[in-house]
Amino acid sequence: MKKMNALMILAVLIFGLALPHPGYCRPLIEEEDDMDNAIEPDSSRKNEVQDWVKITKAPPQKYVQKLGESIEVECEIMGSPAPFVEWFEGRYPPDNEFESNLIMEGSPSAIVRAKKVLKIDYQIEYERTFTCRGRSGSKQVFSTTTVYPSPELKQRSAYTEMYQAQLNHQSRLSANKPKIIYSHPLHIDVVGSNIVLPCHVVGTPRPQIQWVNSDGYIREENPRYKVLPNGDLLISSIKWEDMGAYKCIAKNSHGKDSADAFIYPALKE
């Protein structure tokens, strides 16, 4: 069995996942062919698995913010190669292209489920729309959520800038706690590949990051394991025995957060 086909079958059989389904989301501009999420044959790559991407957990279509509430909205994307995920304000992508220094695509053989969190730690005053975009290779998908201000803002005739400042201060209190905003809940790749499990976190003061697996806290005595300065976990030349659950833990003086990941090394043949 070909390497790429084996990986795809593995994802379908083990995790119950299929190629992109139009029910999950639709492109924002339906007339543009380059926004189409369908997988079409390419004679120049007939021996390879085509790029694919889908939304496995869409954000809510709308959200009403409570007074003083800090909002966290999740968007989960799965694809191959490893998807690039970002949030932006509005319904259409910004003019600039993806910021390559944030999330880099890994091995073309990887099948990855990625989660990106939109965090709003201020009180909004008017309706605002945010869009989650995911891209794997040449394919991309979009999903939007609209955040509405609390109805209480309109009901308060004595609403002032000072009151707004108080609400923003209340919202930012929760922003001090660690929050992991980007992670890979699932990472499948062939044995021998180098993989990176991201753990991007925000919080004040800067959170400390540790990784654990079934053997306990990951130390760097194992030369194949390395916690990078930004908190990501690099595993070099993955082996079958690396399969299993991993957890990123972020802590500071205000609290902690954690994110789970699962690694599945697949055989090359």
Side-chain angles (χ1 to χ4, degrees), residues 56-221:
T56 53
K57 182 179 180 181
Q61 292 184 348
K62 65 179 183 179
Y63 192 99
V64 179
Q65 184 184 34
K66 300 176 183 178
L67 291 178
E69 179 186 20
S70 179
I71 299 175
E72 297 174 358
V73 185
E74 294 184 0
C75 177
E76 198 168 88
I77 306 287
M78 186 165 188
S80 180
F84 184 111
V85 187
E86 70 166 354
W87 280 97
F88 58 84
E89 186 167 1
R91 291 184 176 275
Y92 297 94
D95 293 334
N96 60 305
E97 191 48 76
F98 293 88
E99 298 181 36
S100 59
N101 62 320
L102 293 180
I103 307 168
M104 295 185 295
E105 294 178 355
S107 166
S109 61
I111 299 174
V112 172
R113 188 165 74 241
K115 180 171 69 174
K116 187 69 176 284
V117 177
L118 169 68
K119 188 173 177 64
I120 303 176
D121 55 4
Y122 54 88
Q123 191 73 42
I124 65 168
E125 301 179 56
Y126 54 89
E127 173 187 328
R128 299 174 71 173
T129 297
F130 300 88
T131 299
C132 173
R133 172 169 68 170
R135 182 189 70 174
S136 289
S138 61
K139 303 297 181 178
Q140 55 183 341
V141 288
F142 300 82
S143 187
T144 61
T145 185
T146 301
V147 181
Y148 297 89
S150 170
E152 294 183 46
L153 289 180
K154 297 180 180 180
Q155 297 171 2
R156 292 177 181 267
S157 58
Y159 178 71
T160 63
E161 291 185 2
M162 180 178 296
Y163 179 61
Q164 174 70 27
Q166 291 174 346
L167 290 176
N168 286 338
H169 175 70
Q170 182 178 346
S171 298
R172 289 192 175 97
L173 289 178
S174 60
N176 293 329
K177 299 178 181 179
K179 179 62 185 178
I180 297 173
I181 59 172
Y182 184 73
S183 61
H184 283 177
L186 172 66
H187 198 120
I188 304 173
D189 208 342
V190 296
V191 170
S193 300
N194 298 331
I195 68 173
V196 174
L197 296 180
C199 185
H200 299 179
V201 60
V202 294
T204 305
R206 182 178 180 180
Q208 299 296 314
I209 296 177
Q210 293 178 303
W211 282 89
V212 298
N213 59 11
S214 58
D215 297 325
Y217 284 98
I218 294 177
R219 312 294 182 186
E220 294 192 6
E221 286 81 1

Side-chain angles (χ1 to χ4, degrees), residues 115 178-180 183 199 247-250 256-260:
K115 180 171 69 174
K179 179 62 185 178
I180 297 173
S183 61
C199 185
K247 183 188 292 288
C248 172
I249 301 174
K256 68 178 181 179
D257 192 20
S258 64
D260 295 318

Side-chain angles (χ1 to χ4, degrees), residues 223-240:
R224 294 192 303 107
Y225 287 65
K226 182 176 179 61
V227 179
L228 303 178
N230 66 349
D232 295 352
L233 176 63
L234 168 65
I235 304 179
S236 302
S237 187
I238 61 170
K239 302 179 179 180
W240 178 252

Side-chain angles (χ1 to χ4, degrees), residues 5-16 111 188 264-267:
N5 291 336
L7 280 176
M8 186 63 67
I9 293 173
L10 177 64
V12 173
L13 294 181
I14 295 182
F15 300 97
I111 299 174
I188 304 173
Y264 193 99
L267 297 179

